[in-house]
Amino acid sequence: MQLEQSPAPAWTTGFDPSDATPAPSLWEPVQSDTLSWRIVSQVRRALFADKLKPGDFLGTEGSIARDFGVSRMAARDALRSLAAVGIVTIRAGAKGGAVIAHGNAELFADALAVQLKLIGISGSEMLDAQIGIEAMAAELAARHATPADLTLLRGLLEELKRLIGSPAEFTDLSMRFHLGVVEASHNRALIAQFRALRHMLLPAYARHTTPDIAARAVEAHAKLLGHIEAGDADGAREQMVRRLRVIRANRFAGDAPAPPGQKTTETPS
């Protein structure tokens, strides 16, 4: 039976496992030496097909084993895998079991940051990604920034002016200004991606910050904020791209991505 043709799941948010058993027809029996992974794959497909939603009760270890026709050990391994990637949360106790988790952007950002580090992305790759994310974010910020967003950005800018002579503190707060711009876009996909990327960007920027560079950054931030305050989406985007391209050219010139399968060991210069 194909998942796409299966009826919608019987459980709903707030489902009590003592009241009923999830409809077994949603799942296909699995017969393989990778039983737990096949269970995980079916649950993932059901989630992306909108047959499962946050808060839905998936089942207990015993009921999942029965519905998929596998051992409790295979069901337990599948639940551990699903919990590890954030698809389910496990509730203990008599009325416990696996529940489809609610989204956690911080968990996603942290996991993505770790994977970016492990694959060894280069400095130029980081800056290219930053340009793509922040150019769109600056444009959206000019359209959607709230008074609270603007107040935050103004406060950060004033604090940055006082920290020009303190490169380490300046770099940290400047990255917070960049995050503030992205958050002002009110686009959750961009925000999550930038939160992941900033873990990689911060040490790379910190290696190059001097009082002169900090002063130029403050000037660029002020121009960007002016465009955002004026609702000038095109101007905000152009200002962000112009500044980041200068940074890329000056700090990451010649930093090419590593060939597939080869880890990058060089640091941005």
Side-chain angles (χ1 to χ4, degrees):
M1 180 183 299
Q2 298 298 316
L3 279 175
E4 290 74 17
Q5 298 174 347
S6 302
W11 52 85
T12 58
T13 302
F15 182 85
D16 186 334
S18 64
D19 294 338
T21 301
S25 57
L26 180 62
W27 310 121
E28 304 169 13
V30 292
Q31 298 177 357
S32 169
D33 57 350
T34 57
L35 297 177
S36 62
W37 177 244
R38 287 176 176 262
I39 294 172
V40 171
S41 296
Q42 288 197 50
V43 173
R44 284 171 56 95
R45 289 201 304 271
L47 178 65
F48 285 105
D50 294 327
K51 295 177 180 178
L52 294 171
K53 62 183 184 298
D56 282 348
F57 181 74
L58 187 63
T60 63
E61 182 182 297
S63 68
I64 289 172
R66 181 176 62 252
D67 293 341
F68 285 94
V70 300
S71 68
R72 291 177 69 99
M73 180 177 295
R76 187 180 307 124
D77 288 343
L79 289 177
R80 287 173 178 167
S81 296
L82 289 167
V85 296
I87 294 177
V88 303
T89 55
I90 308 297
R91 297 176 180 174
K95 293 187 177 182
V99 178
I100 300 300
H102 290 271
N104 186 329
E106 285 295 337
L107 178 64
F108 163 78
D110 186 63
L112 179 57
V114 169
Q115 294 305 314
L116 290 174
K117 180 64 176 178
L118 292 175
I119 66 174
I121 67 170
S122 67
S124 60
E125 288 177 296
M126 283 192 296
L127 261 294
D128 287 341
Q130 185 185 10
I131 291 170
I133 293 168
E134 291 203 69
M136 189 72 250
E139 178 181 329
L140 292 175
R143 295 173 178 168
H144 304 307
T146 65
D149 294 326
L150 297 176
T151 297
L152 173 65
L153 291 172
R154 292 183 192 115
L156 290 171
L157 183 59
E158 290 305 310
E159 184 64 20
L160 283 168
K161 293 177 182 177
R162 291 192 288 270
L163 293 176
I164 285 176
S166 304
E169 293 178 83
F170 180 91
T171 302
D172 187 66
L173 194 64
S174 182
M175 194 59 61
R176 180 65 187 88
F177 181 90
H178 281 267
L179 177 60
V181 172
V182 179
E183 289 176 336
S185 74
H186 296 277
N187 182 298
R188 291 176 292 178
L190 294 176
I191 294 169
Q193 291 177 79
F194 185 79
R195 283 177 175 168
L197 196 62
R198 68 175 174 167
H199 292 292
M200 304 288 294
L201 290 168
L202 188 56
Y205 273 75
R207 282 190 286 270
H208 301 280
T209 303
T210 65
D212 286 343
I213 288 176
R216 290 198 295 273
V218 166
E219 182 180 352
H221 290 344
K223 290 179 180 178
L224 174 63
L225 180 55
H227 288 300
I228 293 173
E229 290 175 320
D232 180 4
D234 290 339
R237 181 186 184 94
E238 290 171 5
Q239 173 62 28
M240 181 66 82
V241 171
R242 185 182 306 113
R243 176 61 181 167
L244 293 180
R245 282 181 174 167
V246 168
I247 292 173
R248 188 190 191 286
N250 291 340
R251 304 185 193 180
F252 300 94
D255 181 16
Q262 178 180 326
K263 184 177 180 180
T264 301
T265 56
E266 63 187 34
T267 56
S269 58

